[in-house]
């Protein structure tokens, strides 16, 4: 068993308590000597041949939260049937007095620098163009760990990639479970990245990066073609990373004929388009990296996994970590920025180029919170309403398909033809419009929220038309949101 914790309040206490209980039950425990990123825990399980693992974290949630992520022997979070089987065992404990708290201390072993080095050595092997990193070693990087675990490994990994001009946001460098400088320690929030943005502007940096408390999510900021700083959304970051790993591996001659990439059903379909043009298999799975990991496991020995990701600022590069990994993502995103800078360009320029090549995709997310005792019932009623009476026209465009992942069926609303969806059950509905637009409805698994994901697509004929074309798609999403009475 491997156990880690992040910077959350009481994290160390909870990790030691967890370790003591496993050890008291005769299980050998590897406990990290201090806080570490979640992806290193996933790596440790595989590296040390553990049967399972636990990390004490609440990821990017507010400071009041703490939590417990459970992992299986492949380094991924639990999927069926293991999740249900574990809970069945938990429910057999009828009294806290049955819990063994002490007595196995000799079964606990500390993990420290040796494992850090093994993990960092692995991340270094993911680099496609180390020569470009060397040529652009003075790429001006601003990084904020947002009071989390990233500070333990990100500066070191950037140094190993050869970058010499790295500036840490000092106000957010010290691990602190109270997250004193932010409301939410979530790099998806512009306010959370505010101090980093200010520093990036002051230094006239090339790239800004921020990681969440347990370092599995990463956000990036770059300058647009007007010289203004913008934060990329999770879909754009994923597109840049997927495209780089596909293009760069091909250019370097290390691409394999059986390469594959994996994304989630609510992540931009632009990735599917890029994979298709490059003749690479792209698999769509349910939301959550445990499903990406399950796909890797299913295809192991038959196909070569390159990269996976989802729209919520998560990337998983290479198959040695089976959860989203912001440490390796930071390193590779900086390599990507160096690669573009070597050509006199920025990642923003690259993004526009891809829109010209593959079409302009625009995504948005609307979250509706339903608190209180009736919240869950209200969300369930909304989903039932959409199931029983799906919209037939949105923004003047016919809704062609209803994909129901709970019922595991797809249906053409025009012809009535239906088909099976070969994915595990999940309470998600998708409406696919005749013009390729897609709206997904998904209740949150951890909060009293229902999330609506919007994806629309247009054509971009020239760079000069970018702002107008983007606004047209924004307006389209706004009209659909209004029609669906979501705001």
């Amino acid at each position: 068993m491997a156990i880690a914790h992040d910077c959350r309040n009481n994290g160390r206490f909870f990790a030691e308590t967890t370790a003591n209980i496993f050890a008291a039950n005769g299980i050998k425990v590897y406990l990290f000597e201090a806080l570490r990123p979640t992806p290193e825990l996933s790596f440790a399980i595989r590296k040390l041949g553990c049967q399972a693992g636990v990390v004490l974290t609440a990821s990017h949630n507010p400071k009041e939260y703490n939590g417990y992520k459970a992992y299986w022997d492949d380094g991924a979070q639990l999927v069926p049937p293991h999740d249900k089987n574990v809970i069945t065992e938990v429910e057999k404990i009828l009294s806290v007095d049955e819990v063994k708290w002490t007595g196995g201390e000799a079964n606990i072993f500390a993990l420290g620098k040796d494992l850090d080095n093994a993990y960092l050595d692995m991340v270094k092997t993911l680099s496609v163009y180390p020569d470009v990193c060397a040529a652009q070693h003075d790429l001006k990087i601003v990084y904020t760990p947002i009071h989390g675990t990233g500070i333990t490994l990100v500066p070191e990994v950037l140094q190993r990639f050869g970058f010499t001009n790295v500036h840490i946001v000092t106000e957010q460098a010290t691990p602190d479970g109270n997250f004193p400088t932010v409301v939410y320690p979530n790099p998806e929030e512009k306010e959370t990245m505010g101090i980093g943005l200010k520093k990036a502007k002051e230094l006239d940096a090339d790239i800004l990066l921020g990681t969440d408390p347990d370092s599995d999510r990463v956000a990036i900021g770059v300058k647009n073609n007007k010289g203004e700083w913008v934060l990329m959304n999770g879909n754009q970051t994923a597109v840049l990373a997927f495209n780089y790993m596909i293009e760069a591996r091909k250019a370097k001659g290390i691409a394999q004929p059986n390469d594959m990439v994996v994304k989630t059903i609510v992540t931009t379909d632009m990735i599917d388009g890029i994979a298709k043009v490059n003749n690479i298999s792209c698999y769509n799975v349910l939301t959550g990296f445990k499903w990406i990991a399950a796909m890797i496991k299913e295809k192991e020995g038959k196909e070569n996994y390159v990269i996976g990701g989802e729209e919520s600022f998560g990337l998983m590069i290479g198959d040695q970590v089976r959860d989203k990994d912001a440490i390796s993502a930071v390193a590779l995103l900086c390599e990507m920025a160096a690669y573009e800078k070597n050509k006199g360009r920025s990642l923003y320029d690259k993004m526009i180029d891809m829109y010209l090549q593959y079409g302009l995709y625009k995504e948005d997310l609307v979250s509706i919170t339903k608190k209180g005792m009736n919240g869950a019932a209200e969300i369930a009623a909304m989903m039932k309403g959409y199931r029983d009476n799906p919209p037939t026209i949105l923004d003047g465009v016919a809704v062609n398909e209803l994909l129901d992942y709970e019922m595991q069926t797809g249906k053409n609303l025009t012809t009535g033809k239906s088909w099976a969806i070969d994915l595990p059950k999940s309470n998600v509905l998708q409406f696919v419009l005749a013009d390729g637009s897609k709206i997904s409805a998904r209740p949150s698994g951890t909060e009293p929220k229902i999330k609506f994901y919007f994806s629309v697509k247009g054509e971009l004929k020239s760079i000069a038309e970018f702002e107008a074309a983007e606004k047209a798609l924004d307006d389209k999403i706004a009209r659909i949101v209004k029609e669906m009475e979501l705001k």
Side-chain angles (χ1 to χ4, degrees), residues 169-351:
V169 176
T170 51
E171 299 95 322
Q172 297 177 323
T174 304
D176 188 335
N178 292 313
F179 311 111
T181 63
V182 297
V183 178
Y184 299 107
N186 185 353
E188 294 180 53
E189 306 279 346
K190 189 172 181 181
E191 176 271 332
T192 303
M193 295 292 284
I195 298 174
L197 270 172
K198 185 168 176 280
K199 191 174 184 86
K201 284 176 191 170
E202 284 170 7
L203 294 172
D204 191 29
D206 293 303
I207 187 169
L208 163 69
L209 306 104
T211 54
D212 70 338
D214 70 327
S215 302
D216 61 0
R217 294 171 188 239
V218 60
I220 62 169
V222 293
K223 280 179 282 192
N224 65 14
N225 43 18
K226 294 178 181 173
E228 304 159 336
W229 277 90
V230 292
L231 293 172
M232 292 291 198
N233 64 42
N235 280 301
Q236 291 171 320
T237 306
V239 165
L240 285 165
F242 274 70
N243 185 76
Y244 177 77
M245 293 307 289
I246 292 169
E247 271 190 2
R249 284 168 55 80
K250 194 182 270 189
K252 197 80 184 284
I254 57 172
Q256 305 295 315
N258 63 343
D259 279 350
M260 69 163 189
V261 299
V262 190
K263 61 180 266 290
T264 65
I265 56 173
V266 295
T267 302
T268 179
D269 290 339
M270 187 171 178
I271 289 169
D272 301 76
I274 292 168
K276 190 176 180 183
V277 167
N278 286 280
N279 202 26
I280 281 180
S281 298
C282 178
Y283 295 100
N284 281 268
V285 298
L286 298 177
T287 302
F289 277 73
K290 63 185 180 182
W291 299 113
I292 297 177
M295 181 60 75
I296 298 173
K297 202 171 186 179
E298 184 187 321
K299 301 290 181 183
E300 227 154 13
K302 294 172 281 194
E303 296 186 42
N304 179 50
Y305 171 82
V306 176
I307 185 172
E310 63 182 17
E311 95 309 326
S312 58
F313 293 71
L315 292 166
M316 189 164 95
I317 305 162
D319 68 354
Q320 294 304 297
V321 170
R322 299 291 172 95
D323 203 353
K324 51 187 177 283
D325 182 355
I327 308 299
S328 60
V330 164
L332 267 297
L333 286 162
C334 288
E335 177 171 312
M336 288 153 53
Y339 183 80
E340 294 304 326
K341 193 176 183 187
N342 217 34
K343 298 195 285 186
R345 300 149 39 88
S346 70
L347 286 176
Y348 190 87
D349 296 326
K350 180 64 180 175
M351 195 77 231

Side-chain angles (χ1 to χ4, degrees), residues 66 74 114 153 322 362 380 407 449 452:
N66 210 334
D74 62 341
D114 286 352
L153 292 181
R322 299 291 172 95
K362 184 78 181 181
M407 306 307 293
K449 282 181 180 177
F452 292 87

